[in-house]
Amino acid sequence: MTKKISTIALFQLANLIFCNNNAIAGGDDYSIVIVTAFSELSGVYTIGVQGRHDNQQVFGGCRQLDIKVKYQYVPWYSWLPFIQTTHPSKEDNEEALDFVHKSFIDRREIYFTVAGNGLIETKTKCVFESKGLRQFGQFVFSYYHPF
């Protein structure tokens, strides 16, 4: 787990230095949210999250987000044998979706954050796309591109 977290931190640093694109990126910044909606249609999960406080902005100036999660494996190609993708596996994604769904049913707060460019804006305000989720304890990380 330490190796994965170190690799995620390395990708985040590279993102800050070299990349400038329209995505929400982070990892050390998180929001405490309530899951307000959870649905699935044809393999696309829609998760609504809202900040714990009425005036709390979660991401991108939005108080409530709709996150469209459609799992897609994102490989990381490297000539270094010890560098592997940090993107969640399909099993990681399913485990995180189960956790989010239980949090929705129980109205329990979760800590939501992103790794790399973890949320990509859509043409609709406050609607974002994710290619996978991973859960660490009470934290749920969203992934899109490694950086």
Side-chain angles (χ1 to χ4, degrees):
M1 183 166 133
T2 304
K3 181 178 171 183
K4 286 183 180 181
I5 292 173
S6 298
T7 305
I8 291 169
L10 178 63
F11 288 141
Q12 291 173 350
L13 178 62
N15 181 44
L16 289 172
I17 295 170
F18 298 113
C19 298
N20 183 15
N21 40 17
N22 292 331
I24 304 296
D28 24 330
D29 189 24
Y30 61 88
S31 294
I32 301 173
V33 299
I34 298 289
V35 180
T36 58
F38 188 94
S39 63
E40 185 267 336
L41 181 63
S42 301
V44 178
Y45 291 83
T46 302
I47 301 167
V49 297
Q50 182 175 4
R52 179 172 59 172
H53 306 291
D54 289 339
N55 61 351
Q56 177 187 355
Q57 293 181 358
V58 182
F59 291 109
C62 301
R63 292 185 181 137
Q64 168 132 359
L65 299 182
D66 283 332
I67 302 165
K68 306 283 185 184
V69 181
K70 182 172 183 181
Y71 180 78
Q72 181 180 344
Y73 180 74
V74 179
W76 175 256
Y77 299 105
S78 174
W79 55 272
L80 298 171
F82 56 87
I83 301 291
Q84 298 175 357
T85 183
T86 59
H87 199 271
S89 67
K90 189 170 188 172
E91 292 78 21
D92 292 333
N93 186 62
E94 290 171 1
E95 181 180 300
L97 286 167
D98 285 344
F99 175 77
V100 171
H101 186 244
K102 287 176 186 168
S103 299
F104 169 64
I105 291 170
D106 298 342
R107 299 286 296 163
R108 185 179 52 208
E109 296 174 341
I110 63 172
Y111 299 88
F112 187 81
T113 189
V114 296
N117 292 338
L119 291 175
I120 300 295
E121 294 177 285
T122 64
K123 293 180 181 180
T124 306
K125 183 164 176 55
C126 299
V127 176
F128 293 82
E129 291 180 351
S130 172
K131 289 185 180 176
L133 302 176
R134 178 179 282 138
Q135 174 201 355
F136 289 111
Q138 294 295 315
F139 287 83
V140 175
F141 287 78
S142 174
Y143 291 75
Y144 195 87
H145 293 302
F147 63 89

